[in-house]
Amino acid sequence: MATSSRKQAAAALRKQQAAQARRRSIVFGVAIASAVVLIGGLLGFGIWMNREVDYDVNEPAAATTDTYAVEIGDGPVTIDLYIDYMCPACKQFEDAYAADLQRWVDEGSVTINYHPIAILNRMSQGSEYSTRAGAAAVCAADSGEQQFLDYTLALYAAQPAENTRGLDDDELVRIGTESGLDAKWEACVDAETYRGWVEEGTASASTEQGVSGTPTAMVDGQRVDSASFAESVEAAITAASLFAIDESSHHCQRRQSSQRH
C-alpha cells in the first residue's frame, strides 16, 4: 500500500473510532475505572509469569527510552502510555484518543513514550499474545514512527477477546503487511527479535516504575485519569506554549539590554 493511501486509511479509521468513542464517553470513563481495578489485580501475577526473561533483550533500532518505551514525536510535553494489546480498556483508550494523539504528534506538541507491556499473557491460553503483539509493534517502530502508530491502531481494531489464544503470528504479519509494513519488518517478527525487550519492560513497569494496571497514562511525569486525558494534555500543551513565549520574551529583552550597553 502506498504511503499516502496507508495514511489516508489510518486517518479514516481514527476518525471513525473517535466519533464512536465520543458518543460513549460516559461509558468509557466508567469502563476504564473498572478495567484498571481488575487489571491492576492481575499485574502482580503477570509479572510473576514473566519474571524470567526467556529471550535476548535486544535494543530496538527505533528511538526508545531507558524505561522500555518506544518514543514517538519530539514535542515539549511528554506523555507516557503503558498499554497491553489484549487489554479491552486499552482498546477503548485508543478508540477515544488515537486521533488526538496523531494530531499532537503531527503538530509537534508532544513526545509520546509507548510502553508495550504484557500483563495479560495469562488470558491468551498459553499463546503469550500480549508479548507477541507487543514485540511485533516494536518491530514496526523500527520501520518508523508512523508505522508504529498505524500498526497499533490496526492491532486494536482486530483485538481478540480475552480467554482466547489471540491472533497467531501469521495474522499479526497479515495485519502488518496490510498496514504497509515490509519484508524486513516481517523478518523481525519471525525472529521474535523484541520478545525479551517486552518481557523486560513488563517487569520494569511494576518493579521500578510503579505501574499497577493498563492503560496507565502520565503527562509530564504525573499520572492522569484516562477519562480526562485529553484535557490534561491540552492544559500541558498550553502551559508549555506560554512558557516558550515567556522565555522568548526574556531572551529578547536581555539581547536588547546588552545592545544598549
Side-chain angles (χ1 to χ4, degrees):
M1 183 183 294
T3 300
S4 60
S5 298
R6 175 176 54 77
K7 291 192 72 173
Q8 288 172 0
L13 182 53
R14 285 191 181 90
K15 184 176 180 180
Q16 177 186 7
Q17 289 177 330
Q20 293 171 343
R22 299 306 181 193
R23 288 196 293 269
R24 59 173 182 267
S25 59
I26 295 176
V27 176
F28 169 73
V30 174
I32 285 288
S34 300
V36 168
V37 170
L38 171 62
I39 295 169
L42 298 175
L43 183 56
F45 188 77
I47 294 298
W48 181 85
M49 290 283 286
N50 290 285
R51 68 193 186 283
E52 295 294 338
V53 175
D54 298 321
Y55 297 84
D56 292 337
V57 182
N58 299 309
E59 189 66 25
T64 59
T65 71
D66 58 5
T67 55
Y68 301 92
V70 171
E71 190 175 79
I72 305 295
D74 59 0
V77 174
T78 300
I79 299 171
D80 283 272
L81 298 177
Y82 294 80
I83 61 172
D84 185 311
Y85 285 102
M86 201 172 204
C87 160
C90 296
K91 181 184 185 314
Q92 287 185 310
F93 188 97
E94 177 74 10
D95 288 350
Y97 298 125
D100 292 322
L101 292 166
Q102 182 73 60
R103 174 171 56 83
W104 293 326
V105 168
D106 292 343
E107 292 172 351
S109 300
V110 303
T111 299
I112 309 174
N113 298 326
Y114 277 93
H115 303 256
I117 60 178
I119 64 176
L120 291 180
N121 275 343
R122 65 185 293 268
M123 305 294 282
S124 60
Q125 300 182 1
S127 80
E128 296 190 333
Y129 175 74
S130 295
T131 298
R132 291 187 294 108
V138 179
C139 285
D142 279 357
S143 297
E145 293 184 359
Q146 191 61 50
Q147 284 83 345
F148 174 86
L149 291 172
D150 290 347
Y151 190 58
T152 290
L153 183 75
L155 283 180
Y156 280 126
Q159 186 184 65
E162 294 178 312
N163 293 312
T164 68
R165 289 188 59 80
L167 307 176
D168 62 26
D169 289 346
D170 287 343
E171 290 171 308
L172 290 175
V173 168
R174 176 186 59 77
I175 290 170
T177 55
E178 289 178 354
S179 299
L181 291 164
D182 59 15
K184 184 177 180 181
W185 167 80
E186 184 175 346
C188 179
V189 176
D190 289 343
E192 301 181 321
T193 304
Y194 297 127
R195 286 191 63 158
W197 194 80
V198 171
E199 289 178 353
E200 191 80 351
T202 302
S204 172
S206 175
T207 60
E208 299 169 5
Q209 301 174 57
V211 175
S212 58
T214 56
T216 290
M218 297 182 183
V219 179
D220 287 337
Q222 299 297 313
R223 192 167 303 193
V224 300
D225 184 76
S226 295
S228 58
F229 171 70
E231 291 81 357
S232 298
V233 175
E234 292 288 1
I237 291 172
T238 298
S241 178
L242 291 174
F243 178 79
I245 292 172
D246 187 55
E247 283 292 292
S248 176
S249 175
H250 283 305
H251 175 73
C252 183
Q253 290 174 358
R254 287 195 298 268
R255 185 173 61 183
Q256 291 173 346
S257 177
S258 63
Q259 289 174 345
R260 286 196 297 269
H261 293 287

